[in-house]
Amino acid sequence: MSSTQPFLKGAVVLIPAFALGRAQELLLILDEYWSNHPDLHKIPIYYASPLAKRCMAVYQTYINSMNERIRNQFANSNAFDFKHISPLNSIENFNNVGPSVVMASPSGLQSGLSRQLFEM
């Protein structure tokens, strides 16, 4: 199966994730992947985690603690200034009209935005 097959059918891919650590890593990976695959540019990526959004400032502050690849990338541009990813502040702001990727917390789907999106 190709990386675009789920989207051809209008799928919404929900990625439940912790708000810290893995979320930022996944966002970096997704943004880089989207940048390298122009056929995906029309498919939006959202992260639905107010805590993850607030933590971005902390990651940007401590960029020198990141691995060499991120530090080198930050010398040219802010690695956490995503080109293909937008924050999703509430379920009311989610426009479920086509294919998209949504990363949401909490990762256990027990409550919050991830649970609300799962039940849509």
Side-chain angles (χ1 to χ4, degrees):
M1 172 162 52
S2 78
S3 61
T4 58
Q5 261 185 329
F7 301 115
L8 296 176
K9 297 178 182 179
V12 175
V13 176
L14 174 62
I15 303 172
F18 290 106
L20 300 172
R22 291 285 182 225
Q24 287 72 23
E25 186 176 355
L26 286 169
L27 290 171
L28 286 168
I29 291 167
L30 285 171
D31 198 58
E32 182 179 340
Y33 190 83
W34 253 240
S35 291
N36 293 330
H37 293 85
D39 55 320
L40 296 175
H41 288 183
K42 65 184 179 293
I43 300 167
I45 305 171
Y46 303 102
Y47 68 94
S49 173
L51 181 57
K53 184 178 178 181
R54 289 191 302 266
C55 290
M56 290 295 178
V58 174
Y59 279 85
Q60 292 175 23
T61 302
Y62 294 100
I63 199 75
N64 290 327
S65 299
M66 303 285 172
N67 68 36
E68 184 177 353
R69 184 173 153 255
I70 298 296
R71 287 193 311 271
N72 291 339
Q73 184 178 349
F74 192 76
N76 299 325
S77 66
N78 183 347
F80 294 102
D81 184 18
F82 302 118
K83 293 166 188 60
H84 304 284
I85 301 173
S86 304
L88 180 64
N89 298 322
S90 69
I91 195 78
E92 290 80 26
N93 296 343
F94 181 60
N95 191 2
N96 188 12
V97 294
S100 63
V101 174
V102 183
M103 192 180 75
S105 63
S107 63
L109 296 171
Q110 71 271 28
S111 63
L113 284 170
S114 63
R115 180 61 181 218
Q116 291 172 316
L117 290 162
F118 180 71
E119 291 179 343
M120 288 183 78

